Amino acid sequence: MSLAAARRWLHDAWILHVVPYLPSRLPWRLAWPCYRLFARSASLYPEPVSAALAHAPAQLPIGDPAAFARDVRSVWLLDAADLHLSRRHPPGWLPEHVRVRGQWPAGAFVAASFHYGTGLWIFSDLRRNGHESVFVSGRFDEADFARHPLRHRHGMARMAELERLGGQAVAFRPGIRPRLRDALAAGHVVVSLLDVPPRLAPHGQHPVRLLDRAASLPEGMLKIAAEAGVPIVPCWIEIDFERGERVLVIGAPIAPEPIEAALAQLAQLLDSLIRKQPAAWLFWAEWPQWQRDAAALHGVPTFSNAAAEGSLSGQRFEQGLQE
């Protein structure tokens, strides 16, 4: 192993295992101040933090960039810490600092969330309420993580935990439509992240407005829900950065058809969430290319804006932790 490779390995071990794990052994009233203290360090999660700092201020008012960066690091720390915390408890367990607002419907449905906040406790609460679930994910090709093998292992460990919590194997795109139809027919819940840009889901994208810009969302999960005759149930987790508490919000069911209206409603929901807590959106690295790719769907020329170019160096890092 070269010196550079060793440094990358140690850095990934630090941000994925050591820093998230150690405070997770403490009572939460002590763990959260530790995470907030660690989140002051610029060495933690540099790729997603750089992307958020590069793109969020161009879309939304960010009063204090340093505080904003600290909140971004806190979200990523929480997400990694949740994996360590969850693996020590049985499926259906929720930590005391996570509250639930809303109620899951009976029977099968598509739980629609976003690359926003921390999502692992969605699966626990579904299981707590008697729902087995199938998570829809992009594939984890080990070759994509050649320079960061620990990130690949972390991503696969996360998938294994979602399978343990959900009671069903993860469905890796593409070619999963029959599997998801069968899961819904069996009364299970399909959990999908809907804010997937054209780069990652090139087919079936519909134009929507997001942050007052041209964007798009894919129709695939809505078509599957419509074919199965089940609703779309929005869900997400909100974070209180002051107290370290979180709220799992279960929204009102949405009819999947007409698809354009449903996607517009979901885009409006995502828009409101990002505006409320821009540090909690994990896809800032995708945002510049997302707008360019969606421009044709809106019937406008593809733009080139040096200020919006940015680096997508964190995209595989984010996929490895958040898919």
Side-chain angles (χ1 to χ4, degrees), residues 8 67 124-126 131 142 217 243 282 320:
R8 288 193 300 269
S124 287
D125 194 61
L126 283 167
H131 293 288
E142 190 170 2
L217 292 177
R243 295 182 294 180
L282 307 172

Side-chain angles (χ1 to χ4, degrees), residues 23 25 34 80 100 143 216 235-236 239 243 282:
R25 306 297 305 193
C34 291
V100 180
S216 63
C235 53
W236 63 94
I239 301 171
R243 295 182 294 180
L282 307 172

Side-chain angles (χ1 to χ4, degrees), residues 26-228:
L26 300 172
W28 193 252
R29 61 184 176 82
L30 301 177
W32 179 241
C34 291
Y35 288 129
R36 289 296 274 174
L37 180 62
F38 280 128
R40 294 181 179 274
S41 172
S43 67
L44 295 184
Y45 311 104
E47 299 101 329
V49 172
S50 295
L53 286 172
H55 307 309
Q59 310 294 320
L60 300 168
I62 304 296
D64 185 342
F68 174 71
R70 185 188 183 195
D71 289 346
V72 174
R73 295 186 197 102
S74 296
V75 174
W76 288 90
L77 268 172
L78 278 177
D79 194 66
D82 284 349
L83 177 59
H84 294 288
L85 191 58
S86 177
R87 292 169 76 176
R88 300 199 297 266
H89 294 88
W93 177 84
L94 284 183
E96 61 181 2
H97 63 277
V98 177
R99 296 182 291 109
V100 180
R101 186 167 72 237
Q103 186 174 357
W104 301 111
F109 56 89
V110 172
S113 195
F114 310 100
H115 291 88
Y116 179 89
T118 56
L120 187 143
W121 303 121
I122 290 172
F123 297 83
S124 287
D125 194 61
L126 283 167
R127 193 67 175 273
R128 188 168 69 105
N129 285 274
H131 293 288
E132 292 193 1
S133 58
V134 176
F135 180 53
V136 178
S137 174
R139 294 190 181 276
F140 280 87
D141 293 327
E142 190 170 2
D144 291 339
F145 296 85
R147 289 169 55 85
H148 295 278
L150 280 187
R151 297 185 186 184
H152 179 262
R153 289 171 56 185
H154 177 89
M156 296 308 297
R158 185 181 179 85
M159 293 299 104
E161 182 62 6
L162 297 185
E163 290 184 347
R164 186 181 76 93
L165 297 177
Q168 296 289 318
V170 171
F172 289 101
R173 300 188 304 262
I176 58 174
R177 185 180 294 267
R179 163 86 191 284
L180 300 183
R181 284 199 298 257
D182 290 346
L184 292 169
H188 301 319
V189 174
V190 170
V191 183
S192 178
L193 304 179
L194 290 188
D195 53 339
V196 181
R199 186 186 73 82
L200 300 175
H203 304 296
Q205 291 273 343
H206 281 258
V208 297
R209 299 291 293 178
L210 191 61
L211 301 178
D212 297 322
R213 301 289 194 275
S216 63
L217 292 177
E219 67 178 13
M221 290 310 307
L222 278 73
K223 293 182 71 173
I224 290 173
E227 292 169 4

